[in-house]
Amino acid sequence: MSDFIGNDFLLLNKYAEELYHDYAENMPIIDYHNHLSPEQIANDVTFENLTKVWINGDHYKWRAMRTLGIEEKYITGNASDKDKFLKWAQTVPFTMRNPLYHWTHLELQRYFQITKLLSPQNAAMIYDISNEMLQSPENSCCGLLTKMNVKYLCTTEDPTDSLKHHQKIKKSDFKTKVSTAFRPDSAIHIENAQFNNYLKKLEVATDKTITNFDALCEALSNRIDYFNDNGCTIADHGLSHIYTSEFKDSEIKSIFKRKLEGKQLTTNEVNQYKSAILLFLSKMYHQKKWVQQFHLGALRNNNQRLLSQLGPDTGFDSIGDWLQAENLSKFLNKLDQANMLTKTIIYNLNPRDNEVLASMIGNFNDGSVKGKVQFGSGWWFLDQKDGMTKQINALSNMGLLSCFVGMLTDSRSFLSFPRHEYFRRVLCNIFGQEIQNGELPNDPKWIGKIIQDICFNNAKEYFNLELP
C-alpha cells in the first residue's frame, strides 16, 4: 500500500480542501515554543542517520516501543542506530489510531518524499534512502528548517545558559530568525534535591553570591536583563499548577534561608516560596514587555525505578488532575490589580480543564492588546487531532478563535514541523464541515483570512516579530 496520505488528507469536503490549499497550506511557520538544540542550529549539523534526527530523544516513540514490549537497549540503550530504527519500524504498524502513525508518515513524505507505509519489510530500504538524503546540505539542521518554511523559532533555555549558540546564529547568514525563551523552572522548584546545587550554577552565571532571597531575585533579574539584551522576549514555565499561597516577605526570606541550610521544608513553605518567586518573575516580564507562558498539568517522573536508570524526559510523565481555576484566577488577578499582567499564554494538559481555561482567559482580556491572554494550543498528550479539535472548540465557544496565535511543535526533533500542517488540516476541516452544515457562511475569502491569521499573522503580531 502506498500514498496513504494524499493531498486532501483530513479534509472531508470541498470547502475544507479550498480553505487548506488556497489559504493555509503555504503560510510560513512561526514556532514560538520548542526544545530544539541551538548548538546544532549554530553549527548547521548534518545528521549521520535517521535514528539520530528522528528517534533519539523522542519520548513519544519510546513510550510506544516499550508498550509493544521492545527491550530498552533498542530505545535508549546501546543497540546500533540501525537496529533502533528497525525496532521503530516494527512498532509503527501497531501505532494505528495513535498520532504517531500520522506523524510518522507525514514526516517521511515531507522530508524524504517517501510515500510507502513504514514496516519491517521496507525499513532497511527506507533507512538507507533517508540516510543518503540526510547527507545533502538541504537536509542539514538549517536546511530542514528552511524546507519547512520556518520563519521564526524559539528554543528554550535555562537562566544559566550563556546563549553563545544563539549569538553565533545571529551572526550567521541563516534566514530563519532564532530566539530563546527564558525557562527558570530550576529556580522555582525549591523542593528539588538539586536546588542548592543549581544556585551555585546561577552564582557562576551572574558572578554574584546568593546568600538570601533578595540575592536570588537580583541574580534572576540579572539573567532576565542578559536574555533581553540577547533578543529574548518570551518566558516559559512548566508547572503542575499555579501557586498562590499567601505569604509575607519575612516568611519567604526565612524559608529560603532554611533551604540553604539544608533543612526540610513543609509543603506550605514550598508553596509560599513558589508563589513569591512566580509573582516576582511575572512582574519582571511585564517590565520587559515579554510574553509569559505557563504549561500546566503534567504529572512528571512517575516511574521512579526507570527514572533512576534513565533520567527525566525519557517517557514517564502523564496527565495530572490538579484543580486549576481558583489559583490561576488569583494569580492573574494579583498581577492585573498591580497593572503588571503581561501577555500570557496558558497551556492545558488535562482535557477536563479545557473550558475552565478557555473561559478564564476572557476575565483578563482588557482591550489593551488583541488576545492579550491566550488559551494555548493542544499540548503534549493533546497535540493530536482529537486534542486539537477539543481545544479549538472550547476556545471558539468561550472566546475568539480568530485571535488565537496557533500551533507550535514543543519538540526536540528537527523533523517535527509537519505538525503545523497537521494542525492546519484539522483547523480547515472544522471550518469546512461547518460551512457544509450551513453553520457558517460560504465566504472563503473572509474565513481564509481568519485561518491565515491563526496559522501565522496573529503570532507575528502578538510576538512583535520583524520577519523577512
Side-chain angles (χ1 to χ4, degrees), residues 227-434:
F227 271 60
N228 190 73
D229 291 343
N230 279 274
C232 177
T233 61
I234 301 173
D236 185 61
H237 310 79
L239 303 170
S240 57
H241 57 88
I242 294 292
Y243 297 86
T244 56
S245 296
E246 296 297 324
F247 62 86
K248 298 177 181 177
D249 290 346
S250 59
E251 291 175 316
I252 303 304
K253 291 177 181 180
S254 175
I255 290 166
F256 191 78
K257 181 174 182 292
R258 293 183 65 240
K259 180 66 178 182
L260 291 182
E261 293 169 350
K263 294 178 181 177
Q264 188 72 29
L265 302 182
T266 67
T267 299
N268 185 57
E269 287 173 329
V270 169
N271 291 342
Q272 285 181 303
Y273 168 83
K274 289 184 175 182
S275 302
I277 199 69
L278 276 176
L279 282 173
F280 166 77
L281 288 168
S282 292
K283 290 176 180 179
M284 288 294 301
Y285 305 150
H286 179 268
Q287 290 177 11
K288 297 296 184 186
K289 298 182 179 179
W290 284 9
V291 174
Q292 61 183 357
Q293 300 183 103
F294 296 98
H295 286 82
L296 304 180
L299 184 61
R300 300 176 188 270
N301 303 324
N302 294 275
N303 190 321
Q304 291 297 309
R305 176 177 63 85
L306 292 175
L307 174 67
S308 66
Q309 295 176 24
L310 304 175
D313 302 320
T314 50
F316 304 103
D317 309 314
S318 58
I319 295 171
D321 59 355
W322 293 275
L323 297 177
Q324 299 288 356
E326 187 173 358
N327 280 359
L328 185 55
S329 174
K330 286 181 180 178
F331 176 72
L332 296 175
N333 193 49
K334 279 186 178 180
L335 292 171
D336 187 73
Q337 283 185 315
N339 197 27
M340 299 194 79
L341 177 60
T342 194
K343 294 178 185 176
T344 303
I345 307 176
I346 305 165
Y347 302 88
N348 172 49
L349 198 57
N350 191 326
R352 172 196 72 182
D353 296 324
N354 279 341
E355 282 74 16
V356 169
L357 268 67
S359 63
M360 181 64 68
I361 65 171
N363 297 325
F364 299 96
N365 277 319
D366 55 9
S368 61
V369 176
K370 176 184 174 182
K372 177 179 177 179
V373 184
Q374 293 270 336
F375 178 24
S377 62
W379 168 53
W380 201 343
F381 293 102
L382 304 183
D383 62 354
Q384 25 71 11
K385 183 164 69 75
D386 183 61
M388 292 175 186
T389 300
K390 287 177 178 176
Q391 187 270 347
I392 288 169
N393 286 338
L395 179 54
S396 299
N397 288 330
M398 308 293 173
L400 294 183
L401 181 64
S402 56
C403 296
F404 179 37
V405 292
M407 184 59 179
L408 48 86
T409 62
D410 190 28
S411 175
R412 291 169 172 80
S413 171
F414 284 88
L415 300 188
S416 66
F417 286 86
R419 293 185 193 179
H420 283 266
E421 174 187 341
Y422 199 75
F423 168 82
R424 292 173 182 186
R425 288 177 179 272
V426 170
L427 177 69
C428 290
N429 191 63
I430 289 171
F431 275 98
Q433 291 284 83
E434 295 192 354

Side-chain angles (χ1 to χ4, degrees), residues 57-102:
D58 190 340
H59 50 79
Y60 290 83
K61 292 184 177 73
W62 294 351
R63 284 169 70 99
M65 294 168 76
R66 291 183 187 120
T67 300
L68 196 62
I70 290 174
E71 293 179 66
E72 193 65 34
K73 72 175 183 177
Y74 296 108
I75 303 172
T76 62
N78 59 4
S80 70
D81 285 345
K82 183 170 185 178
D83 285 343
K84 287 180 178 179
F85 177 79
L86 294 178
K87 288 296 185 181
W88 168 239
Q90 176 187 329
T91 306
V92 168
F94 294 93
T95 65
M96 285 190 177
R97 299 208 78 247
N98 184 289
L100 284 165
Y101 194 77
H102 285 165

Side-chain angles (χ1 to χ4, degrees), residues 96-140:
M96 285 190 177
R97 299 208 78 247
N98 184 289
L100 284 165
Y101 194 77
H102 285 165
W103 294 344
T104 292
H105 294 105
L106 264 177
E107 290 160 8
L108 287 174
Q109 279 201 31
R110 299 299 174 257
Y111 292 103
F112 306 107
Q113 296 77 56
I114 293 171
T115 59
K116 303 291 185 184
L117 299 181
L118 181 58
S119 69
Q121 288 71 39
N122 61 21
M125 177 188 68
I126 286 176
Y127 188 71
D128 291 341
I129 290 172
S130 302
N131 291 349
E132 183 176 353
M133 293 181 70
L134 282 169
Q135 304 317 303
S136 168
E138 69 178 14
N139 289 317
S140 65

Side-chain angles (χ1 to χ4, degrees), residues 157-163 167 182 187 197-210 215-216 218-227 230:
E157 272 69 52
D158 183 86
T160 60
D161 196 282
S162 70
L163 302 182
Q167 293 162 359
F182 182 82
N197 290 335
Y198 176 75
L199 295 182
K200 292 181 173 61
K201 295 179 182 178
L202 191 56
E203 287 180 332
V204 171
T206 58
D207 196 25
K208 296 180 182 295
T209 303
I210 301 173
L216 171 64
E218 184 179 348
L220 290 172
S221 177
N222 174 286
R223 296 313 289 171
I224 289 172
D225 287 342
Y226 181 79
F227 271 60
N230 279 274

